[in-house]
Structures are given as C-alpha cells and as structure tokens.
Amino acid sequence: MSESKPQSALTETAETVLQRRYYLKDENGKVLENWDILCRRVAKAVAAVDAGQPDAEELAGQFYTMMHSLDFLPNSPCLMNAGTDLGQLSACFVLPVEDSMDGIFTSIRNGALVHKTGGGTGYSFSRLRPKNAAVKSTQGVASGPLSFAAVFDAATETIKQGGKRRGANMGVLRVDHPDILAFISAKEDQSRYNNFNFSVAITDAFMQAVKDDASYDLVNPATGAVSDSLPARQVFEEIIDRAWHTGEPGVLFIDAANRDNATPQLGDFEATNPCGEQWLLPYESCNLGSINLGRFVTGGKVDSTRLAATVRLAVRFLDNVIDCNRFPIPEIAAMTQKTRKVGLGIMGLHDMLIQLELPYASQEGRKAAAEVMNFIHAEAEQASIALAKLKGAFPAYDPQYNKYPARRNAALTSIQPTGTVSMIADCASGCEPYFSIVMIKHVMDGDRLPMVNRLFEQVARREGFYSPRLMEKVAASGSVVGQQEIPEKWQEIFRTAQDIAPEDHIRMQGALQKSGVDSSISKTINMPNSATREDVRRGYLLAHELGCKGITVYRDGSREGQVLNAGNRS
Ligand code: UDP
C-alpha cells in the first residue's frame, strides 16, 4: 500500500456538526467524545465481527485510520450508533405497504421504529386501492394512497422531535395507478407532506406511449381491472409542470432499476430510500459508506494503489456492519441478511476533478469520473468475492439469476448525497459539483455555517490571481464565471452547480450510472430560475435515454425554505 496522505484537520464546521449530533453525550448533555474517540468507538464495534479471523487485530486499526483521516466515512447512523446500545447502523430502508388496514398501520409502526434509530424509509403506495374504491368489510369506500400518506407524514413529524436526525421518507406511486394525477399535484400546497419526497415510478411502456403520443391504461392494483386510460403526454406534462414549479415529484425509472435486480426470485423493486440512491426490496435495508475522492489525487494523478486498498477495506467494513447491526424489526433483519447489500459510494468527486484540472462539465471530466467509478466497482467486486470465499456468499445468491461469480453482497455500489458526512470531510457532496465557492448552510436549529472553498483559495494563490477583493466579489456573486481576474481555464474548472448546464449534470449522472453503480445515484439537476418546462422535458428524456434510474430537477428559487443557498444571497 502506498503512503497514506497526512491527516487533514477537521474544519470548524465539522467540529460544530460533530459536537451537536455525533459525539456521545452524558445525561446532562456534556460531550464525552472527540473525533479520535468517536473513530475508535466505531472501528472497534465494526471490527469485533471478525474476532478470531487471522487479521482481526490489525483490522480495528485500519478501520480507525481510514475514518480518522477522512479517506472514508460510513453513513451517519453508523457514526452515531456503532458501539452504543441503540446499535442501528443503516441509513436506508424500504417497507411494504399492503392494501389493508393492518398492512398500512403495520407499515407506519415499522417506519416509526426505523426513524427512531436514524434511518430513512421508502414506501410504494402503488398496492393501495384507489380513492373511492369499494371496501368490502365496511361497505364503504377507500380513502386512497394520498390520505394514508398524510398519516405516515404525521407520524414522522411527531417522531422527529428530539431526534438527532429528521425522519425522511420517499413516497412512490406507479404512473399507472388510478390516483396518479392527484399524486402528481399533491405537493402543490407546500405545507403538506413535508416529511416526504414524492416520486412517480415511470415504466418504459409509459415512456414509449409519450413518444408515440398514445394513451395508456390505469389499473386498480386491488382488482387488476383497467379503470381508465389517459393520454401519456398529458400525464408527462403534468409531472413536468409540477417539477418545474416545486421540484416535485421526482421521477424513478422503475424498469431500468428492475433490470438490475440481482435477486428477482425474492421480489421486484417498488421503491427507493428517501434520497433515491438505493433501490431495495420490501423489508431490505442498506448501510452506506463513501470514499472521499479528493484525498486520492497525488501529483496530478489518482493514486490507484491506495484507492484500491481503501475500497477493499471499505467493503470489509460495510459487510461487517450488517453483522453488528441491531435491526429495528425481525423482518428487516431477515431480508437484509439474505442479500447483504451495501452501498459504497463517493464524495468529493468535484474535488478530485479540480485537482486533476478537469472541468466537471466536460467530456474529459465525465471520462475521469467514469473511470474512477469503474475502478471502485471492480475492486469492490473482487473484495466481495474474496469475502464470499472466507465467509460465504450472500444466502440468496443463485447462479441462475446472477451473472457474476459468488460474492458476499448482492449490491455493492451506490452514490449517496453525503449531506452531512461531506461536511465532516470538508468536500463536495456525493457526485455533485460544489454548490458555490462560498456557501452558507442552514443546519438544524436555524444556525448558519459559512463554508469557504479551500481548493479555490489554494489554486488562486498558487496561480497568482488571489486577492481579498476577488474573494469578496466571488462571495457576493456566488460564481467565478465572468470574473476577469480569473483565467478562463480556472473559471471552467470552478464552475458550480448553478453555472453548469442541466444536460451536463444529467450526462455526469448517466456516465456514473453506466460505470459501476449497482443501485442508483442521488443527484440534483440544478436549473436556473429562467429554465423552461421544455428544459425539464428534455432533461427527463435525456435521463431515460442515458439509462439513469431516476431524476430530480430543481429550478433555483422554486421552493421555499431551500436548504442550500449560493453566495450571500442567503
Ligand atoms: N437520511 C435520513 N434522514 C436525513 C438524512 C438522510 O433518513 O436527515 C437517509 C436517507 O435514506 C438518505 C441516506 O440517509 O438517502 C443517505 O443520506 P446522506 O448521504 O445525506 O447521509 P449522511 O450519512 O451524510 O448523513
């Protein structure tokens, strides 16, 4: 293994976030940990699974170093809960919603137990009979998926009080459900369903009907009867119109996801976790971890030896997490242990590209991103095959369905938002470009945390265009584009989310999806306020064509209470 990079010190922002939400505290709220102690706690708990293995002793040390150096961080529940009594370490869950009172309220109960432990839940409401359908037992009529979604929302709202993390939900409805039009416009009233992201599950047949300007059937899921048919273009336009107005609903390409289902014998994908990067079967959960790519560039090149070693260690870590996890309900434990899915992702992709001197919005930038993701996937797969030899393949492994050799985990890679862990690591989140060069983040409790891009300052000083006045100008506009003091090459490299064309966002998502992402990608397609509905439409068609498994657009300023604001417009 080549030399590890020197440890990077935690920023003030990172310390604030850690103190508020991650370090363990006593009953009086006194902080009991620091970064070193936290990393030791997590490393020890996760390595304990391997007690008795020949390399058990070194393992805790290696896990510690990988986290402490910020080369790799697991998802928040693991950092918060490993080695504690709670011990629930996963971020992602999908729970089934059966078409019965018992089914619906069992799901609400199970979701509450997941939220209590810091996990996020995805639900498909597609199995629920539509509004006004008959209810045999009461001779009454059904209230429909949306009215039940409001009950899930209220339960989440209550549980978030006092928690370290807001409960988050994904609500999915298939495009051929009879209540689809009401679902598409459900978030028009921005005071409703605020604990949910809503997404329409779109089929290839629907996309074909859009292209052919044909109608498609709406099917009552309880009876299988066709209840109506709608012109596909009209429904597509509705989705586009709402997404243009509010950013919701998002779209999930459910057939693309199911083509990559590694265990179809166990069921189909119906929903993702709240941020969309994990397609999971009902009752599956997944723990995530992300490699901080900005830390793997040495001398203008990606240090592949060190990256390979980190990927392999990260797979070992995430696989162990499954075995030391305390699952909230037995059904989740059973399902998760059958498929043993993990979500190894990346953060700091933009930091890597900046150091390689490649613009995010360019063919070369996408090529470098795809190469690194392919490399990560290949190494992760080798690590998982080696683990299968040591500990056994995932129990649902069946060569009849799986094209790959026996491995330990049915899915290995996904790209998560890394909303908080990237703040700890001080890098661009997930596969996103920096949102701004100077950014104010509103965090829980209404505090404002300023973040100044350290790479931009370093480059400006090195290349001789640094001046306090320029930094102020960049801070005021939130963008480097058009600042004459900055050479054009660097203007391109430091383009931020708002300065990057929507197609370039989508092309990056598509390039990564094709290059070794097993599950999916959390990505926001930023659009300027002036973007038109036609821009949104073109974006959706391009995402489908490129094989993306979902798309979420966000037009600047279209939603109240935007979490991230560029520059000092906040
Ligand atoms: N998540 C959640 N509540 C939150 C943030 C995230 O339940 O407040 C879940 C959700 O499933 C999301 C996943 O955690 O898709 C990963 O989010 P992220 O990468 O932002 O989490 P981090 O580990 O950075 O906190």
Side-chain angles (χ1 to χ4, degrees):
M1 187 165 166
S2 59
E3 284 271 294
S4 175
K5 278 204 165 179
Q7 186 210 319
S8 48
L10 291 179
T11 62
E12 215 175 293
T13 304
E15 263 303 337
T16 308
V17 169
L18 286 165
Q19 289 197 11
R20 199 172 297 158
R21 290 164 58 192
Y22 291 74
Y23 295 154
L24 297 183
K25 296 180 180 143
D26 69 13
E27 58 277 17
N28 302 317
K30 188 170 157 261
V31 173
L32 300 174
E33 292 190 314
N34 57 27
W35 185 232
D36 173 65
I37 297 172
L38 181 150
C39 292
R40 278 181 208 288
R41 164 170 59 79
V42 177
K44 189 170 158 215
V46 178
V49 170
D50 281 312
Q53 296 285 355
D55 58 351
E57 290 227 334
E58 298 130 59
L59 208 55
Q62 289 172 346
F63 286 165
Y64 166 86
T65 305
M66 172 170 78
M67 290 183 284
H68 191 255
S69 63
L70 304 171
D71 281 351
F72 163 90
L73 289 177
N75 57 210
S76 290
C78 181
L79 291 172
M80 289 169 176
N81 302 337
T84 71
D85 289 343
L86 192 58
Q88 197 294 103
L89 312 181
S90 296
C92 308
F93 297 79
V94 165
L95 294 169
V97 188
E98 304 289 351
D99 183 41
S100 69
M101 271 308 174
D102 191 23
I104 293 166
F105 284 89
T106 299
S107 191
I108 292 173
R109 167 203 180 260
N110 292 341
L113 294 176
V114 169
H115 289 168
K116 192 179 111 182
T117 65
T121 41
Y123 305 94
S124 168
F125 296 115
S126 304
R127 296 192 210 176
L128 298 186
R129 72 194 69 185
K131 191 173 173 180
N132 296 330
V135 179
K136 213 161 134 205
S137 57
T138 61
Q139 318 244 296
V141 290
S143 44
L146 274 168
S147 65
F148 287 116
V151 187
F152 283 78
D153 191 61
T156 311
E157 186 71 29
T158 308
I159 292 154
K160 92 178 168 203
Q161 290 159 3
K164 285 185 184 174
R165 200 163 151 89
R166 289 168 57 122
N169 301 300
M170 172 66 88
V172 178
L173 199 69
R174 282 178 66 95
V175 73
D176 49 14
H177 191 282
D179 290 357
I180 193 62
L181 288 175
F183 181 79
I184 292 167
S185 60
K187 293 191 88 174
E188 206 156 299
D189 174 353
Q190 293 192 24
S191 67
R192 304 201 68 197
Y193 306 110
N194 277 326
N195 298 294
F196 267 95
N197 292 325
F198 274 177
S199 287
V200 179
I202 281 189
T203 57
D204 286 346
F206 175 81
M207 288 309 279
Q208 194 56 47
V210 169
K211 284 180 195 146
D212 299 345
D213 197 9
S215 287
Y216 75 105
D217 290 339
L218 301 184
V219 182
N220 178 337
T223 61
V226 173
S227 63
D228 201 354
S229 79
L230 286 174
R233 281 200 187 162
Q234 183 199 325
V235 176
F236 195 49
E237 291 307 312
E238 286 289 326
I239 296 171
I240 287 162
D241 185 60
R242 296 326 311 161
W244 181 84
H245 269 291
T246 66
E248 279 192 79
V251 156
L252 295 171
F253 296 117
I254 196 165
D255 291 332
N258 273 305
R259 277 192 284 277
D260 286 348
N261 182 356
T263 55
Q265 75 277 25
L266 300 183
D268 290 337
F269 292 133
E270 298 171 22
T272 67
N273 71 329
C275 300
E277 71 275 15
Q278 279 299 337
W279 284 93
L280 295 171
L281 300 172
Y283 288 124
E284 257 187 325
S285 72
C286 185
N287 74 91
L288 315 172
S290 301
I291 295 200
N292 181 358
L293 288 177
R295 288 193 38 86
F296 289 85
V297 182
T298 309
K301 286 217 306 256
V302 173
D303 180 346
S304 53
T305 314
R306 205 167 76 76
L307 181 59
T310 307
V311 169
R312 285 168 183 249
L313 193 59
V315 170
R316 180 90 180 255
F317 180 102
L318 296 172
D319 184 64
N320 273 12
V321 166
I322 300 166
D323 295 320
C324 58
N325 211 337
R326 299 220 178 108
F327 294 101
I329 55 168
E331 291 87 340
I332 293 175
M335 217 26 215
T336 306
Q337 280 152 359
K338 269 188 206 164
T339 54
R340 302 189 65 86
K341 287 183 180 170
V342 298
L344 178 63
I346 53 175
M347 55 182 163
L349 171 68
H350 198 190
D351 303 63
M352 178 192 92
L353 294 174
I354 290 168
Q355 292 172 72
L356 297 176
E357 304 191 6
L358 298 173
Y360 185 99
S362 69
Q363 186 71 40
E364 307 80 60
R366 289 191 285 275
K367 189 163 165 265
E371 267 170 24
V372 87
M373 201 62 228
N374 258 324
F375 181 80
I376 289 173
H377 187 267
E379 290 298 329
E381 184 156 44
Q382 288 311 311
S384 189
I385 291 170
L387 276 178
K389 288 189 183 129
L390 194 67
K391 300 178 173 184
F394 64 90
Y397 176 77
D398 183 341
Q400 194 189 326
Y401 297 103
N402 300 127
K403 289 168 252 127
Y404 44 70
R407 63 189 208 192
R408 181 83 173 145
N409 316 92
L412 288 161
T413 48
S414 61
I415 302 182
Q416 29 281 1
T418 69
T420 322
V421 295
S422 67
M423 288 173 81
I424 299 173
D426 190 27
C427 63
S429 54
C431 63
E432 299 287 5
Y434 273 105
F435 193 75
S436 172
I437 293 302
V438 179
M439 197 177 86
I440 310 285
K441 179 150 181 167
H442 301 275
V443 288
M444 288 221 318
D445 311 334
D447 277 20
R448 291 152 60 91
L449 299 173
M451 297 164 83
V452 179
N453 189 286
R454 84 201 123 71
L455 285 173
F456 180 68
E457 190 176 325
Q458 269 167 28
V459 169
R461 287 183 191 277
R462 191 187 72 212
E463 302 288 317
F465 61 82
Y466 179 88
S467 77
R469 204 182 131 265
L470 175 63
M471 297 299 125
E472 272 171 36
K473 267 171 56 183
V474 169
S477 78
S479 170
V480 296
V481 177
Q483 309 280 358
Q484 277 159 11
E485 299 92 318
I486 305 174
E488 218 148 278
K489 167 183 165 184
W490 292 107
Q491 288 190 30
E492 287 306 310
I493 290 170
F494 282 102
R495 265 181 191 271
T496 51
Q498 295 292 337
D499 299 326
I500 288 174
E503 305 85 77
D504 284 321
H505 280 283
I506 298 169
R507 285 187 199 289
M508 180 59 93
Q509 184 180 334
L512 289 165
Q513 183 68 63
K514 266 200 283 236
S515 316
V517 174
D518 293 326
S519 197
S520 192
I521 298 176
S522 168
K523 172 98 186 76
T524 303
I525 309 306
N526 288 95
M527 296 195 167
N529 188 265
S530 59
T532 61
R533 289 170 179 79
E534 179 54 29
D535 294 327
V536 177
R537 182 183 307 109
R538 260 190 289 142
Y540 282 14
L541 293 173
L542 179 62
H544 183 246
E545 188 187 306
L546 293 177
C548 296
K549 294 184 186 173
I551 174 168
T552 307
V553 300
Y554 180 71
R555 194 168 58 88
D556 194 28
S558 63
R559 196 185 305 167
E560 290 162 25
Q562 200 171 327
V563 184
L564 297 162
N565 284 293
N568 58 9
R569 281 181 286 137
S570 55

